[in-house]
PDB file of all heavy atoms in Angstrom:
ATOM      1  N   LEU A1207    -198.860 -19.715-140.204  1.00 97.00           N
ATOM      2  CA  LEU A1207    -199.075 -18.439-139.520  1.00 97.00           C
ATOM      3  C   LEU A1207    -197.914 -18.136-138.573  1.00 97.00           C
ATOM      4  O   LEU A1207    -197.431 -17.000-138.511  1.00 97.00           O
ATOM      5  CB  LEU A1207    -200.404 -18.483-138.755  1.00 97.00           C
ATOM      6  CG  LEU A1207    -200.900 -17.207-138.106  1.00 97.00           C
ATOM      7  CD1 LEU A1207    -201.126 -16.115-139.141  1.00 97.00           C
ATOM      8  CD2 LEU A1207    -202.195 -17.484-137.351  1.00 97.00           C
ATOM      9  N   CYS A1247    -206.259 -18.906-130.868  1.00 97.00           N
ATOM     10  CA  CYS A1247    -206.836 -17.843-131.699  1.00 97.00           C
ATOM     11  C   CYS A1247    -206.753 -16.479-131.019  1.00 97.00           C
ATOM     12  O   CYS A1247    -206.403 -15.483-131.663  1.00 97.00           O
ATOM     13  CB  CYS A1247    -208.286 -18.170-132.048  1.00 97.00           C
ATOM     14  SG  CYS A1247    -208.459 -19.542-133.195  1.00 97.00           S
ATOM     15  N   LEU A1250    -203.105 -15.236-130.997  1.00 97.00           N
ATOM     16  CA  LEU A1250    -202.615 -14.824-132.311  1.00 97.00           C
ATOM     17  C   LEU A1250    -203.514 -13.783-132.979  1.00 97.00           C
ATOM     18  O   LEU A1250    -203.226 -13.340-134.086  1.00 97.00           O
ATOM     19  CB  LEU A1250    -202.495 -16.054-133.229  1.00 97.00           C
ATOM     20  CG  LEU A1250    -201.492 -17.113-132.797  1.00 97.00           C
ATOM     21  CD1 LEU A1250    -201.566 -18.319-133.726  1.00 97.00           C
ATOM     22  CD2 LEU A1250    -200.083 -16.543-132.763  1.00 97.00           C
ATOM     23  N   LYS A1251    -204.604 -13.429-132.296  1.00 97.00           N
ATOM     24  CA  LYS A1251    -205.601 -12.519-132.869  1.00 97.00           C
ATOM     25  C   LYS A1251    -206.010 -13.017-134.249  1.00 97.00           C
ATOM     26  O   LYS A1251    -205.968 -12.277-135.240  1.00 97.00           O
ATOM     27  CB  LYS A1251    -205.065 -11.087-132.933  1.00 97.00           C
ATOM     28  CG  LYS A1251    -204.786 -10.494-131.558  1.00 97.00           C
ATOM     29  CD  LYS A1251    -204.212  -9.099-131.663  1.00 97.00           C
ATOM     30  CE  LYS A1251    -203.969  -8.484-130.319  1.00 97.00           C
ATOM     31  NZ  LYS A1251    -202.916  -9.074-129.527  1.00 97.00           N
ATOM     32  N   ALA A1252    -206.390 -14.296-134.290  1.00 97.00           N
ATOM     33  CA  ALA A1252    -206.740 -14.954-135.541  1.00 97.00           C
ATOM     34  C   ALA A1252    -208.093 -15.638-135.412  1.00 97.00           C
ATOM     35  O   ALA A1252    -208.570 -15.897-134.313  1.00 97.00           O
ATOM     36  CB  ALA A1252    -205.673 -15.990-135.892  1.00 97.00           C
ATOM     37  N   ASP A1253    -208.695 -15.924-136.545  1.00 97.00           N
ATOM     38  CA  ASP A1253    -209.947 -16.657-136.591  1.00 97.00           C
ATOM     39  C   ASP A1253    -209.639 -18.155-136.589  1.00 97.00           C
ATOM     40  O   ASP A1253    -208.555 -18.568-137.002  1.00 97.00           O
ATOM     41  CB  ASP A1253    -210.715 -16.273-137.858  1.00 97.00           C
ATOM     42  CG  ASP A1253    -212.115 -16.830-137.875  1.00 97.00           C
ATOM     43  OD1 ASP A1253    -212.926 -16.387-137.038  1.00 97.00           O
ATOM     44  OD2 ASP A1253    -212.385 -17.718-138.710  1.00 97.00           O
ATOM     45  N   ILE A1254    -210.591 -18.948-136.164  1.00 96.00           N
ATOM     46  CA  ILE A1254    -210.395 -20.396-136.107  1.00 96.00           C
ATOM     47  C   ILE A1254    -210.011 -20.954-137.480  1.00 96.00           C
ATOM     48  O   ILE A1254    -209.192 -21.869-137.591  1.00 96.00           O
ATOM     49  CB  ILE A1254    -211.638 -21.115-135.521  1.00 96.00           C
ATOM     50  CG1 ILE A1254    -211.360 -22.582-135.232  1.00 96.00           C
ATOM     51  CG2 ILE A1254    -212.825 -20.997-136.451  1.00 96.00           C
ATOM     52  CD1 ILE A1254    -210.706 -22.820-133.933  1.00 96.00           C
ATOM     53  N   SER A1255    -210.563 -20.380-138.530  1.00 95.00           N
ATOM     54  CA  SER A1255    -210.251 -20.858-139.886  1.00 95.00           C
ATOM     55  C   SER A1255    -208.830 -20.509-140.314  1.00 95.00           C
ATOM     56  O   SER A1255    -208.336 -21.035-141.306  1.00 95.00           O
ATOM     57  CB  SER A1255    -211.255 -20.302-140.899  1.00 95.00           C
ATOM     58  OG  SER A1255    -211.168 -18.897-140.961  1.00 95.00           O
ATOM     59  N   ASP A1256    -208.165 -19.647-139.551  1.00 96.00           N
ATOM     60  CA  ASP A1256    -206.769 -19.303-139.827  1.00 96.00           C
ATOM     61  C   ASP A1256    -205.798 -20.324-139.239  1.00 96.00           C
ATOM     62  O   ASP A1256    -204.609 -20.298-139.571  1.00 96.00           O
ATOM     63  CB  ASP A1256    -206.418 -17.926-139.256  1.00 96.00           C
ATOM     64  CG  ASP A1256    -207.202 -16.798-139.901  1.00 96.00           C
ATOM     65  OD1 ASP A1256    -207.551 -16.930-141.092  1.00 96.00           O
ATOM     66  OD2 ASP A1256    -207.467 -15.790-139.213  1.00 96.00           O
ATOM     67  N   VAL A1257    -206.290 -21.206-138.375  1.00 96.00           N
ATOM     68  CA  VAL A1257    -205.394 -22.147-137.695  1.00 96.00           C
ATOM     69  C   VAL A1257    -205.733 -23.619-137.937  1.00 96.00           C
ATOM     70  O   VAL A1257    -204.894 -24.480-137.720  1.00 96.00           O
ATOM     71  CB  VAL A1257    -205.334 -21.881-136.169  1.00 96.00           C
ATOM     72  CG1 VAL A1257    -204.800 -20.509-135.873  1.00 96.00           C
ATOM     73  CG2 VAL A1257    -206.666 -22.101-135.511  1.00 96.00           C
ATOM     74  N   ILE A1258    -206.930 -23.910-138.371  1.00 96.00           N
ATOM     75  CA  ILE A1258    -207.348 -25.307-138.529  1.00 96.00           C
ATOM     76  C   ILE A1258    -208.106 -25.477-139.830  1.00 96.00           C
ATOM     77  O   ILE A1258    -208.767 -24.558-140.301  1.00 96.00           O
ATOM     78  CB  ILE A1258    -208.227 -25.754-137.338  1.00 96.00           C
ATOM     79  CG1 ILE A1258    -208.488 -27.245-137.367  1.00 96.00           C
ATOM     80  CG2 ILE A1258    -209.497 -24.966-137.263  1.00 96.00           C
ATOM     81  CD1 ILE A1258    -209.215 -27.759-136.131  1.00 96.00           C
TER      82      ILE A1258
END
Side-chain angles (χ1 to χ4, degrees):
L1207 187 61
C1247 290
L1250 297 175
K1251 296 178 178 68
D1253 189 67
I1254 190 83
S1255 63
D1256 296 329
V1257 299
I1258 189 173

